[in-house]
Amino acid sequence: MAQIQNRLTPFFENITFDREDNELVLNFGPQHPSAHGQLRLMLHLQQEQIVKAHPDIGYLHRGMEKMAENMIYNEFMPTTDRMDYIASSSNNYGFALAVEKLIGLEVPRRAKVIRMMLLEINRMMSHLFWLATTALDIGAMTIFLFVFREREYLMDIIEGYCGARLTHSAVRIGGVPLDIQDSFIAQLKDFLEKLPQNIKDYEDLLDSNRIWRMRMEEVGHIPTEMALSWGCSGPMLRASGVAWDIRKEEPYELYDEVEFNVPYSDVGDNFARYRIYMEEMRETAKILWQTIDMYAECVKNGQTELMAHAPKYISAPKLDIMTQNYSLMQHFVLVTQGMRPPVGEVYVATESPKGELGYFINSQGGPYPYRLKLRAPSFYHTGILTDMLPGCYIPDVVSIIGTTNIVFGEVDR
Amino acid sequence: MRTYKPKDDVQKKAYYTDRFYVAPQVPKSDVESDEVFAKDLEAIKAKFEVLDAYIQVEQMVVWIKPEDNYGVIELMRDELEYTQLSELSAIDFIAQRDEFEIFYQMLSMNKRKRVRIKMSIKNGQAVNSVEKLFRSADWSEREMYDMFGIVANGHPFMKRILMPYDWQGHPLLKSYPLQGDEFAAWYEVDKIFGKEARDIVGPELRDTSRVDRYDSTRFARLGHEVPFGAEVKGDEPVTEQSYQEEGGVFLVKKLDKASSVVVDDPQR
Amino acid sequence: MAQHKINYTQDGGLPVALTTIDKVANWGRSNSLWAMTYGLACCGIEMMAAGASRYDFDRFGTIFRASPRQSDVMIVAGTLTKKHSEFIKRLYDQMTEPRWVISMGSCANTGGMFNTYATVQGVDRIIPVDLYLPGCAPRPETLQYGVMLLQKKIRANKAGRAQKSKRLM
């Protein structure tokens, strides 16, 4: 086959490095090991200080919103996995909740408990992963190895439930597809019993580590006004002094029945964010302990329903499909043509591990969403780098990107 | 005769709809039914013209005129305590009535309420940028421009954000096909190798279910491998897949299954 | 004088190993495959997991390098978009020969589920690929098996000869 050379011109051909005001332009990414994906930053430098930062995104734009417009509602569920791929059940859940609100569906209690378990396990996985990568970026390799060990245990639990390690699709519109497996509770308890000691290990290694503190404290400060104006949410907002957790303030699922605290800080720097992630892991463990009890209660009360009963929208249980003609017909129509939600709009926000994950759905009564807008928290958390980085120094960039906890699957969608 | 497919709306359509099917509506309730929303709506109505207002799925939807958007959002931020603009985007209704619908999703943390401000603009009309009020609109408006081609007046950096700067077309318009137009199909080839390499690289294979078992240039035949490009006859001998050659490898140990230990408990 | 007799044909044999240059070179190449971190999307997370505690890539001699100039194999893990396509070519060109490419996951193989305007339909449209790993996302075990197969492929090649152009360009 013919050998042809590429046409790419040297990249910085049209950028002048030596400005008259002694300003240097530095390109960071899009493929940088500590960019947490495909972030590209154009940094204008005055010696080592950044005077202007220009984040460039879109290197992982895969057209998910366009895909959603060409897919029936159930078909889109696996695509949501690939948004925030660290904690994919939270995306599944957000989408399922939005469609359920649109069609006005009440989910059985047992399904709710299982969903909460999945959501919190995902939150734990996401926070652990955040700690691992951020510590690795800053140079603490030990933490990376420690944390991945614990994360694999959680992966095992999830894998036992849905068969996938990363892309779960474990939530369905109207409930969950399966009951949890027999070993689930035992494994989870096993993990949760060891967790406090594990978190303590991480903290022992990091909290009084001089390098860690120097790179975290008083770096990447976000004032409250800036955080609000940029639409920050989740730990980013809570670190800046606003105790806003959607689980607490606008409870969905059974979050109004469980007891947990919302850690927040008014310092707003990297270290505050790190502390909030660590505290949130403890709170998540607390919620998981409570969901285990709630699940036992469901079993005791004989609540076995896992999917909502709504023949217009949701397929009947497999047993009915196999034995009853009408359920089979309904199932056939729902699979081949898809459900047709009512005409209307809905915006539903859930607290994903990164922040406020919102789904805006405009339905025109057809089997395909007319418009689906994914409100990803990381999108705005990347945007804030524009205002946050000026004034920082080059080594701070990596630790700031680390603590913003951005995932490019959902920034670019 | 070939069936006519409209060019202005290439979104997938349901292949069958019952003739007598009337789509139900998501229930809308009156704004008066909620005290907080009623008060907010009063405040907006006092200064601006409100075309329609209702509560849908626990959130108030307020329809305003497009030229009022800056004023309304400023009012909501400064006087009504709506401290965050969570989302902003557009919906394409060009095929139906040559319009875009734009929505601003706002959140008040003190009141724990969410409000959606909506407005319709004509195709080709620009909107006022609200970037001065909420910095989050900076990127949202750029995304809206990128995806729909709606320009925001007064925006400091109105350029594409998700697609490359030299991209043609606005992907989320209903007239833009899901799998892209010709420019999109050849974008990376044209950019890297030049247009004349199109013949060498070949077109994209978009049919995900296409498998040609006699095509040895693109598909491996697991267990019956043939060299790249060789003709497949169908009588290939079985090839065992193993990670080491027969007879072992110089200085590399081979896994001995009999002497290895299987770990049952991953948390040991 | 007692003659100390050593039987070189038994018990450990000669203290000398005889081999060919080919074998030594390929042995070195195949057992120190330094991979370039090219985590693009979800598969990148599994690639990290393969390098972390439980799966431990280091025992294969596979160490992740951040620079293309120090790496032998590029593991393209994740969706390659049209906007990014230019950069993968640049980085591939910067790698020194001999170089190999593993395309990890369906997105990198064929575009996978993202059959849209923004996704390159297979990374082999841009750079030649040696190994395709199926899965979405492939498990770390898959990646490790893939690396072992790549090692086998390297051992089968003649070390001295310049690499032939593989698939595309």
Side-chain angles (χ1 to χ4, degrees), chain A residues 1 4 6 9 11 31 33 38 56-57 59 61-62 67 82 129 133 145 148 156 159 165-167, chain C residues 37 40 42 46 48 52-55 66 79 81 83-84 89-90 93 113 116-118 136 139 169:
Chain A
M1 214 172 270
I4 48 174
N6 66 54
T9 46
F11 200 70
Q31 187 40 244
Q38 308 185 34
D56 188 10
I57 60 169
Y59 292 97
H61 175 67
R62 305 183 270 196
M67 279 170 83
R82 277 86 184 162
F129 187 83
T133 47
L145 294 174
F148 260 75
D156 286 337
E159 198 184 335
R165 280 163 55 86
L166 211 63
T167 46
Chain C
T37 51
L40 293 169
C42 336
E46 290 295 64
M48 282 174 82
S53 330
R54 186 183 287 180
Y55 297 97
T79 320
T81 58
K83 192 173 181 180
H84 196 108
K89 181 72 182 158
R90 282 177 192 285
D93 287 348
M113 66 192 292
T116 60
Y117 56 91
C136 185
R139 298 175 60 90
M169 303 289 143

Side-chain angles (χ1 to χ4, degrees), chain B residues 168-181:
Chain B
Q168 289 172 12
H170 299 284
L172 273 182
L173 291 176
K174 295 283 178 193
S175 54
Y176 193 91
L178 170 67
Q179 303 186 342
D181 49 13

Side-chain angles (χ1 to χ4, degrees), chain A residues 169-226:
Chain A
S169 293
V171 178
R172 295 283 184 283
I173 297 165
V176 285
L178 293 165
D179 201 359
I180 54 176
Q181 77 269 24
D182 298 338
S183 59
F184 191 97
I185 298 284
Q187 274 179 310
L188 188 58
K189 275 185 179 167
D190 224 22
F191 173 81
L192 289 177
E193 271 158 16
K194 286 180 188 163
L195 187 75
Q197 184 56 43
N198 290 331
I199 296 179
K200 197 176 161 292
D201 282 351
Y202 312 146
E203 284 181 344
D204 286 350
L205 281 167
L206 292 177
D207 268 2
S208 48
N209 185 328
R210 210 172 67 192
I211 302 170
W212 180 260
R213 287 193 87 110
M214 279 169 77
R215 300 207 49 187
M216 286 295 199
E217 272 177 334
E218 290 164 32
V219 171
H221 180 252
I222 308 179
T224 313
E225 300 79 50
M226 196 207 276

